[in-house]
Every structure is written in structure tokens, then in C-alpha cells.
């Protein structure tokens, strides 16, 4: 989707993929090499004007090496923070952004102590490489800390208090190299089993809550001279907001912009990292975005036959439970 948007505004994409895959090939040009292959990375960097990412799980050393040759946007220092749930929470707290109560867990004893402090329940999350609910364990009254810790893989983690939120929303924002900011309308997100299923825009929330979410996103963008698209996920509890996490990239909860805005999050990201002017983030339509997860793809014909629905498939050859295969944007 980034490549399609880039091509539309005259930008070619050279993709770097760390392993062979039968999935549809990304980019106009493709390098397949590991993320620690210095020669391949240097050869790749020599062909491009700017490097960007579509996942935050790229080794920071790789990004730092590329940064010596070519601009990397967003910068490695931001990606380094977001890769680690503890660094991310500390950064948010330093920036005055509220997060759920949490504790650092490096052992079963830490877990037992923190769960007691949090009132007997919580969610244990690995600090690194977790997404879509992976690397997470819910802890309830009576669960044994030793068992949870070993089932969880004993990886360095944080445990968060269990937030009884009213709903989840996210803000997708873009910042240019000259500091211009464009912010899409907040979307309301429905998750099941830790995976995003639908995004609804407009969110239907009080405008004051939406403005507060925008203010927080703006603060995050400015704190690190951020360049590119950023996704910020929030829990809404009454009139209060807690930030759950942020993503230094285009985000699944921003896919609705393809049907709702003249310039979507993908083109906005390309514009930002290329030093082009940002487009308007104004919404011209109400949209529901529905993810096609695992066997949902079997209903493809039904979606294709629905008026006002636009289907986007990701070219993944193998369907697996929980795997995001595509999404449908329905204009309301
Ligand atoms: P995450 O991978 O952190 O985005 O978590 C995936 C989903 O799990 C979130 O979107 C929430 O629906 C749920 N979740 C995560 N953390 C918490 C929490 N502290 N309290 C309640 N629900 C949570």
C-alpha cells in the first residue's frame, strides 16, 4: 500500500525484505537479505534517497548503520524507544502523557509483588516483539505467578493494570520535515483476542475527548522532532485517556483513510519522509474498516459484491488463523 501510494506521486520504492517469501513482492525493486548483512544494506542504501520502515521490529543497529549513509525517517532514536514497552512508557510519562499503572517484571517474584500491588489482576506483556496480543498473558485472581511466568517464557516484561475501558480509539498523525502536522480524525477500534477487527470513523465520542487525544499525539510528535506517520492507541475511561501504545509507522487503525480522505495515511507518510508538503487530513466520508483475518478471506466474493465496499488484499499466499489477510473499507 505504501508502494502504490508512492508510485502515484512519482516516487519509486526499493523494498528490503529479510527473508524469502511466497507473498506478493513489495516495492518496485526488491532486495532479499538479512537485516545484519552489512554489504547488502550498504548496497541498498546507495540506491535510495531516504529509508523508512513499515514495522518497528528492525534492529536499531541496522537503522543506525543506514543513518550514516542516508536519512532514516522516523529516526532510529524514536524506533528504539517504541521497540521496548518499558522505554515507551517511560518516554510517555516524561512527556506528561498518562499510561496505565505498570510494573517492571524480570522474575516470578517481581510478578507476584506487582500483581499484588495492582490489586490481583493485570496483563503481562513482553517488553519487546509483541504485537496483536502476542507475548501477552492475562492474570486473574488465583493465578500462580511461577506458572504464569514460566508459561510466558520468562522474557523481560512489564505488567499493566487491567484497564476497564469504555472503548479504544486511535489517532493517526503525520509530521513533515518542516514541522507541519496533519491529523486524521480519531477512529474507534474494536479488538477481539487482542487483534484489531474494526475501526469506526467518526468515533461518536465527545469532541472534547477527541481533542485531548489529538493534543497528546501532537505532544508525542513534537517531542522527538518526529518525521512521518505515527499511530497512537488510547484507552478511553470516562472522560480520561490512557495511551496504550504507539507505532512509528502507518497503522492498521488508519486504513480507513483510504476511503475517507483525499490523501490517505500511506501517501501522507511518503510525502512526510520525502520532504514533500503534507496533504489535507480532512475526512469526506464516514467509514467502517473491517479486517479480514484468517478464514474471513473466504467471504471475499460477498465483500466484492457489497456496494460502497472496497477490498484491499495483502498478497499473502498462506491463510493462517489470526493472520491479517486484507481489509474492507465500507463507506457509510
Ligand atoms: P496491545 O498489543 O498492547 O495493543 O494489546 C492488544 C489489545 O489487548 C488492546 O488493544 C486491548 O484491547 C487489550 N489490552 C491491552 N492492554 C490492556 C490493559 N492494560 N487493560 C485492558 N485491556 C488491554
Amino acid at each position: 500500500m505504501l508502494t502504490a501510494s508512492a508510485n502515484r506521486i512519482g516516487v519509486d520504492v526499493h523494498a528490503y525484505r529479510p527473508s524469502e517469501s511466497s507473498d506478493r513482492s513489495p516495492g518496485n525493486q526488491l532486495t532479499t537479505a538479512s537485516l545484519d548483512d552489512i554489504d547488502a544494506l550498504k548496497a541498498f542504501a546507495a540506491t535510495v534517497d531516504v529509508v523508512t520502515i513499515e514495522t518497528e521490529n528492525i534492529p536499531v543497529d541496522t537503522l543506525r548503520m543506514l543513518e550514516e549513509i542516508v536519512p532514516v525517517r522516523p529516526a532510529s532514536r524514536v524506533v528504539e524507544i517504541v521497540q521496548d514497552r518499558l522505554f515507551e512508557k517511560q518516554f510517555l510519562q516524561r512527556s506528561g502523557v498518562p499510561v496505565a499503572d505498570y510494573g517492571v517484571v524480570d522474575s516470578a517474584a517481581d510478578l507476584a509483588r506487582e500483581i499484588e500491588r495492582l490489586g490481583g489482576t493485570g496483563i503481562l506483556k513482553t517488553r519487546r516483539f509483541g504485537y496483536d496480543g502476542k507475548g501477552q498473558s492475562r492474570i486473574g485472581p488465583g493465578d500462580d505467578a511461577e506458572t504464569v511466568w514460566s508459561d510466558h517464557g520468562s522474557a523481560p516484561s512489564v505488567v499493566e493494570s487491567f484497564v476497564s475501558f469504555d472503548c479504544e480509539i486511535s489517532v493517526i498523525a503525520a509530521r513533515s520535515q518542516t514541522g507541519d502536522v496533519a491529523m486524521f480524525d480519531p477512529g474507534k477500534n474494536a479488538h477481539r483476542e487482542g487483534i484489531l477487527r474494526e475501526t469506526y470513523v467518526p468515533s461518536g465520542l465527545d469532541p472534547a475527548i477527541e481533542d485531548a487525544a489529538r493534543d497528546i499525539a501532537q505532544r508525542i510528535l513534537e517531542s522527538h522532532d518526529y518525521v512521518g506517520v505515527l499511530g497512537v492507541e488510547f484507552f478511553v475511561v470516562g472522560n480520561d485517556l490512557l495511551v496504550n501504545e504507539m507505532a512509528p509507522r502507518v497503522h492498521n487503525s488508519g486504513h480507513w483513510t483510504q476511503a475517507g480522505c483525499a490523501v490517505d495515511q500511506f501517501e501522507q507518510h511518503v510525502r512526510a519522509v520525502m520532504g514533500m508538503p503534507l496533504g489535507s487530513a480532512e475526512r469526506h466520508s464516514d467509514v467502517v474498516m473491517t479486517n479480514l483475518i484468517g478464514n474471513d478471506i473466504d467471504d471475499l466474493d460477498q465483500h466484492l459484491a457489497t456496494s460502497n465496499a472496497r477490498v484491499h488484499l495483502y498478497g499473502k499466499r498462506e491463510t493462517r488463523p489470526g493472520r491479517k489477510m486484507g481489509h474492507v473499507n465500507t463507506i457509510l
Side-chain angles (χ1 to χ4, degrees), residues 256-272:
W256 68 268
T257 58
Q258 294 172 307
C261 305
V263 174
D264 64 30
Q265 65 163 351
F266 302 99
E267 183 173 329
Q268 203 70 287
H269 184 69
V270 173
R271 288 178 181 224

Side-chain angles (χ1 to χ4, degrees), residues 99-331:
V99 297
D101 195 359
Y102 71 94
V104 181
V105 177
D106 290 316
S107 66
D110 289 347
L111 180 60
R113 187 192 62 241
E114 291 300 324
I115 281 291
E116 193 183 334
R117 189 181 65 80
L118 295 173
T121 59
I123 302 194
L124 184 65
K125 301 182 177 180
T126 53
R127 284 173 56 176
R128 301 172 68 81
F129 303 120
Y131 69 98
D132 282 353
K134 293 188 174 69
Q136 297 191 12
S137 312
R138 291 188 179 214
I139 302 162
D143 285 343
D144 173 52
E146 293 275 356
T147 313
V148 173
W149 181 242
S150 71
D151 289 352
H152 183 72
S154 309
S157 296
V158 293
V159 63
E160 294 175 10
S161 68
F162 190 83
V163 180
S164 297
F165 51 76
D166 298 312
C167 67
E168 296 183 75
I169 60 168
S170 55
V171 170
I172 310 298
R175 187 168 178 275
S176 75
Q177 285 170 54
T178 51
D180 292 330
V181 169
M183 232 176 266
F184 295 106
D185 282 354
K188 185 169 166 176
N189 299 320
H191 291 82
R192 282 192 291 286
E193 289 148 4
I195 305 178
L196 180 68
R197 304 288 157 154
E198 290 109 24
T199 301
Y200 301 85
V201 188
S203 72
L205 285 175
D206 184 336
I209 295 179
E210 291 200 336
D211 284 348
R214 286 193 184 92
D215 285 349
I216 289 174
Q218 178 100 19
R219 222 180 303 160
I220 296 172
L221 285 176
E222 279 167 7
S223 64
H224 272 279
D225 203 17
Y226 190 92
V227 176
V229 162
L230 171 83
V232 187
E233 292 184 84
F234 300 86
F235 298 134
V236 181
V237 190
N239 289 324
D240 296 326
L241 291 169
L242 298 172
V243 169
N244 175 30
E245 59 180 1
M246 54 195 213
R249 53 172 166 80
V250 291
H251 193 254
N252 191 176
S253 68
H255 288 1
W256 68 268
T257 58
Q258 294 172 307
C261 305
V263 174
D264 64 30
Q265 65 163 351
F266 302 99
E267 183 173 329
Q268 203 70 287
H269 184 69
V270 173
R271 288 178 181 224
V273 301
M274 291 298 294
M276 296 169 161
L278 296 182
S280 161
E282 201 179 323
R283 179 172 52 83
H284 57 64
S285 300
D286 297 355
V287 183
V288 178
M289 189 285 309
T290 308
N291 270 335
L292 300 178
I293 296 171
N295 289 331
D296 292 349
I297 192 92
D298 296 345
D299 298 329
L300 178 61
D301 284 355
Q302 192 185 316
H303 294 299
L304 290 172
T306 306
S307 61
N308 296 341
R310 190 155 190 199
V311 178
H312 299 261
L313 299 186
Y314 309 152
K316 297 179 180 176
R317 306 283 174 233
E318 194 192 334
T319 309
R320 288 196 296 268
R323 193 174 196 207
K324 290 175 178 169
M325 306 301 293
H327 66 275
V328 182
N329 283 323
T330 308
I331 296 180

